[in-house]
Amino acid sequence: GHIVRNWKVRWFVLLQDKLLYYKIEGGKKEPSPKGRILLDGCTITCPCLEYENRPLLIKLTTKTNTDYFLECCSREERDSWALDITGAIHAGHPVQVQELHRMKNSFKLLENISLHHIVERMCDSSTGIKLTRNLEQGNRYKETFTGSALVDWLISNSFAVSRFEAVTLASMLMEENFVKPVGARSTEATRYSDLSEQFLDDSTALYMFAESSKKNISSKEGLQFNISELSGTIVKQGFLVKQGHKRKNWKVRRFVLRADPAFLHYYDPTKEENRPVGGFSLRGCLVSALEDNGVPAGVKGNVQGNLFKVITKNDVHYYIQASSKAERAQWIEAIKPLT
């Protein structure tokens, strides 16, 4: 927000020369846009690292120097939006647009990698990455490691088979706010837009665990609890609308589906903390689509349809609304094998 600096869920529509955004009330998009961002003369920054706890940001600066910060729910979605918005900004320059699409297709995200698991291994006191004190331009940094040391560690622990893959994986760790650059050498590299150029395989580039610089670190007990649930590989994530258990109102939540262990967590995208506000184990759950003709029992309010229900082994019922029948089918198909 521009006046109150809070975060709110908005439905975005990209047109040829502008980006419209709408409020969502009761699970529905309002007919009139809440605002618009004129793309003529805009500059785009992606990834945007201005908010430490929000690594999936796009920053748009209009020609009148107004900044808009937009958060996506995944790296793939962020990069896709950034590509399409950049294409709209440069619509009059087809050669630039063609080059953007070529760059997008040149990098493939690594599959079946749990970043939580890698960080947990990195923190191991005996086999993890060695932390040292380093001095750079008169500044002394504690508990750091160099870029080349992390690349070596990733290869030696079989998380990557080449230095290129290790650099790509290290860039992902930095993007997801597990690792952060410290000092001028590594910080300067984050200004590049190409993912493969953000992390430096260099013995003079310094990095550290992002959590080690935070003042408010959660308790050890809470951290262990989060690691056990949130260490699984992310299978699917996206924004859905969920009915509350007490007030029976509908709110937009960012859902993250993980496997090994299988959990479905949901986050409040209006909150600064990147922590789940709820979640449950999928072991023993039942998931099914709900009919769109009429309001099913247990559902309150005026909903648009595309509903599905998850029943936990403790008989807790979750009513969730997707944006389309196709999206609902995709979520059900992704959840079922994990129950």
Side-chain angles (χ1 to χ4, degrees), residues 35-52:
R36 63 178 183 171
I37 304 172
L38 298 178
L39 297 178
D40 180 37
C42 264
T43 58
I44 183 169
T45 304
C46 178
C48 173
L49 304 177
E50 294 188 28
Y51 287 85
E52 185 179 11

Side-chain angles (χ1 to χ4, degrees), residues 24-302:
I24 297 177
E25 292 291 343
K28 290 186 177 182
K29 174 175 71 71
E30 291 193 344
S32 300
K34 175 72 175 177
R36 63 178 183 171
I37 304 172
L38 298 178
L39 297 178
D40 180 37
C42 264
T43 58
I44 183 169
T45 304
C46 178
C48 173
L49 304 177
E50 294 188 28
Y51 287 85
E52 185 179 11
N53 294 328
R54 293 179 178 269
L56 300 178
L57 286 182
I58 296 172
K59 178 182 178 182
L60 287 176
T61 303
T62 67
K63 64 180 180 181
T64 58
N65 289 322
T66 301
D67 291 334
Y68 292 87
F69 295 93
L70 318 176
E71 183 181 36
C72 302
C73 70
S74 67
R75 183 189 301 104
E76 297 89 342
E77 186 179 77
R78 182 204 64 188
D79 293 346
S80 178
W81 271 99
L83 182 77
D84 292 337
I85 292 172
T86 305
I89 293 173
H90 300 295
H93 305 278
V95 175
Q96 284 182 291
V97 176
Q98 186 177 8
E99 177 65 13
L100 286 166
H101 282 278
R102 187 195 66 78
M103 289 176 59
K104 177 187 177 184
N105 295 327
S106 66
F107 175 74
K108 299 298 182 183
L109 189 67
L110 300 174
E111 297 179 354
N112 300 323
I113 290 182
S114 169
L115 298 183
H116 289 275
H117 175 61
I118 294 175
V119 174
E120 193 174 5
R121 289 276 301 276
M122 287 175 65
C123 294
D124 189 277
S125 58
S126 58
T127 61
I129 192 166
K130 184 179 179 181
L131 302 178
T132 61
R133 293 187 179 188
N134 283 281
L135 185 68
E136 183 185 280
Q137 296 182 346
N139 296 317
R140 186 175 297 276
Y141 300 100
K142 297 180 179 180
E143 297 186 326
T144 63
F145 46 86
T146 66
S148 57
L150 178 53
V151 170
D152 291 340
W153 185 90
L154 290 170
I155 294 173
S156 65
N157 285 270
S158 302
F159 289 115
V161 297
S162 67
R163 299 198 78 81
F164 174 78
E165 285 188 10
V167 168
T168 302
L169 191 51
S171 298
M172 293 166 61
L173 290 168
M174 191 167 63
E175 269 203 307
E176 296 297 336
N177 203 36
F178 291 110
V179 170
K180 76 171 188 177
V182 290
R185 183 83 172 88
S186 57
T187 303
E188 178 70 21
T190 61
R191 297 182 182 180
Y192 290 103
S193 58
D194 187 357
L195 175 65
S196 64
E197 297 180 15
Q198 290 174 18
F199 184 88
L200 297 178
D201 181 5
D202 193 307
S203 60
T204 63
L206 300 181
Y207 300 89
M208 66 190 305
F209 292 114
E211 288 78 9
S212 64
S213 63
K214 294 179 182 178
K215 295 180 180 178
N216 298 321
I217 300 177
S218 58
S219 66
K220 186 175 182 181
E221 181 181 356
L223 185 63
Q224 293 298 325
F225 173 78
N226 288 331
I227 287 176
S228 66
E229 286 194 11
L230 304 177
S231 62
T233 303
I234 295 178
V235 176
K236 184 175 178 61
Q237 58 181 318
F239 289 103
L240 298 166
V241 184
K242 172 186 166 295
Q243 180 178 265
H245 288 291
K246 295 180 180 179
R247 295 187 178 181
K248 303 299 182 183
N249 54 352
W250 293 88
K251 292 184 178 180
V252 177
R253 294 290 181 253
R254 179 170 65 89
F255 280 79
V256 178
L257 177 64
R258 293 181 172 89
D260 299 322
F263 276 84
L264 184 61
H265 291 97
Y266 48 93
Y267 300 72
D268 185 346
T270 66
K271 301 295 185 184
E272 284 285 352
E273 303 85 9
N274 189 29
R275 298 179 181 222
V277 294
F280 50 91
S281 170
L282 290 174
R283 186 181 297 275
C285 282
L286 297 173
V287 58
S288 60
L290 298 177
E291 296 296 333
D292 291 337
N293 51 346
V295 180
V299 175
K300 304 292 183 181
N302 183 21

